[in-house]
Amino acid sequence: MDPVKSRLEKKPVDYNGFLQEDKKDSSMALGRVDRGRSEVSTPPLESWREERTRSEEDNELNLPTLSAAYSTILRSLGEDPGRQGLLKTPWRAATAMQFFTKGYQETITDVLNDAIFDEDHDEMVIVKDIDMFSMCEHHLVPFIGKVHIGYLPNKQVLGLSKLARSITLFFDLSAVQERLTKQIAIAITEALQPAGVGVVVEATHMCMVMRGVQKMNSKTVTSTMLGVFREDPKTREEFLNLIRS
């Protein structure tokens, strides 16, 4: 059995970020309104895809169909895909979209790649200002920003570059910022079983900048706090202060 995958499968975490055996305690914690958020019913979230839903071979096979679809879009917008400036645009757009959605081609095992190490370190680990982009599932336009990730180790640490790489797993079309934030936190929690995880995402959404309200300077900030980051105000405050410094 893959040693990374075996570590990921132990002690499953529910979608609120608590170990399943701690549901009694989690129900009490979730009963509070957290930092002004109203309580809503949230469906269970998959923290990662167990299998790749797309491969490099799929990309090559589907490229002509995707390119033809972009030609149809151009015609529907009143353009002529046959004119000089647009001759290769459908192919370029198709290959670009495949790259933008490369999260469909990876699993958490691909990303972590055996980079989990036994280490007796019990102080907070933070990687901040990680550049990110993803595609809004509502309008298929990008949102771009930064991710800040922190966790409190529990006898295991993750290679620092893997923290940054872990967010690429969620570069896909089924993305809203709120869900992406929680997915990153849960994936790290299930991989490491740390004492706690905090994730903050700050992003500018092109669907707000280029259309609709057209607010050029708007920024959306979302956070997910699990374990002691959620339960202990001092730990949460330390994390938030460090990512702002």
Side-chain angles (χ1 to χ4, degrees):
M1 177 180 291
D2 187 315
V4 174
K5 189 171 183 180
S6 66
R7 283 194 289 268
L8 302 181
E9 292 175 347
K10 62 184 179 182
K11 295 184 179 180
V13 175
D14 70 15
Y15 67 88
N16 287 313
F18 295 89
L19 298 179
Q20 290 181 350
E21 58 262 38
D22 294 336
K23 282 186 177 178
K24 181 173 70 173
D25 294 335
S26 70
S27 64
M28 295 175 61
L30 290 171
R32 302 189 300 269
V33 176
D34 183 19
R35 297 165 63 192
R37 296 189 182 94
S38 60
E39 294 181 347
V40 295
S41 176
T42 307
L45 292 171
E46 293 182 4
S47 56
W48 63 73
R49 289 174 294 278
E50 291 297 335
E51 297 180 357
R52 300 174 185 85
T53 58
R54 201 177 78 207
S55 66
E56 290 289 348
E57 291 75 14
D58 293 330
N59 284 347
E60 187 174 350
L61 181 65
N62 294 328
L63 185 58
T65 301
L66 189 56
S67 178
Y70 274 107
S71 293
T72 300
I73 290 172
L74 288 170
R75 290 191 186 93
S76 299
L77 294 174
E79 264 292 357
D80 175 15
R83 72 176 176 86
Q84 185 177 15
L86 294 177
L87 284 176
K88 294 186 177 181
T89 296
W91 179 86
R92 293 190 189 103
T95 54
M97 184 60 75
Q98 288 179 339
F99 178 81
F100 296 156
T101 59
K102 61 184 178 181
Y104 285 127
Q105 298 171 217
E106 296 182 300
T107 68
I108 194 68
T109 303
D110 297 328
V111 173
L112 298 185
N113 194 27
D114 290 326
I116 297 175
F117 307 102
D118 294 330
E119 189 69 41
D120 189 20
H121 179 77
D122 60 0
E123 297 295 331
M124 195 177 297
V125 177
I126 295 175
V127 179
K128 66 177 186 177
D129 295 325
I130 305 168
D131 293 325
M132 60 80 62
F133 69 87
S134 191
M135 300 292 290
C136 167
E137 68 180 19
H138 300 143
H139 303 100
L140 301 187
V141 294
F143 58 95
I144 302 167
K146 294 185 180 296
V147 181
H148 315 290
I149 301 173
Y151 70 96
L152 203 59
N154 181 21
K155 307 299 183 183
Q156 288 187 320
V157 297
L158 181 62
L160 295 179
S161 67
K162 300 303 181 181
L163 274 179
R165 280 270 292 125
S166 66
I167 65 174
T168 65
L169 186 65
F170 307 103
F171 289 174
D172 59 38
L173 288 181
S174 58
V176 293
Q177 184 175 329
E178 298 87 341
R179 184 167 68 238
L180 181 145
T181 306
K182 181 168 283 189
Q183 285 176 321
I184 294 171
I186 293 177
I188 294 169
T189 298
E190 294 190 354
L192 292 177
Q193 296 299 314
V197 173
V199 177
V200 174
V201 178
E202 306 173 59
T204 298
H205 290 248
M206 293 300 104
C207 60
M208 291 181 64
V209 172
M210 300 173 64
R211 58 165 297 283
V213 293
Q214 294 183 312
K215 299 299 182 183
M216 299 296 294
N217 297 313
S218 64
K219 184 177 292 186
T220 301
V221 181
T222 52
S223 70
T224 295
M225 305 291 166
L226 305 181
V228 294
F229 283 71
R230 185 185 185 98
E231 298 159 3
D232 181 11
K234 290 184 178 180
T235 301
R236 181 167 61 246
E237 182 180 6
E238 178 186 357
F239 169 63
L240 294 175
N241 286 338
L242 286 171
I243 66 174
R244 291 173 186 146
S245 63

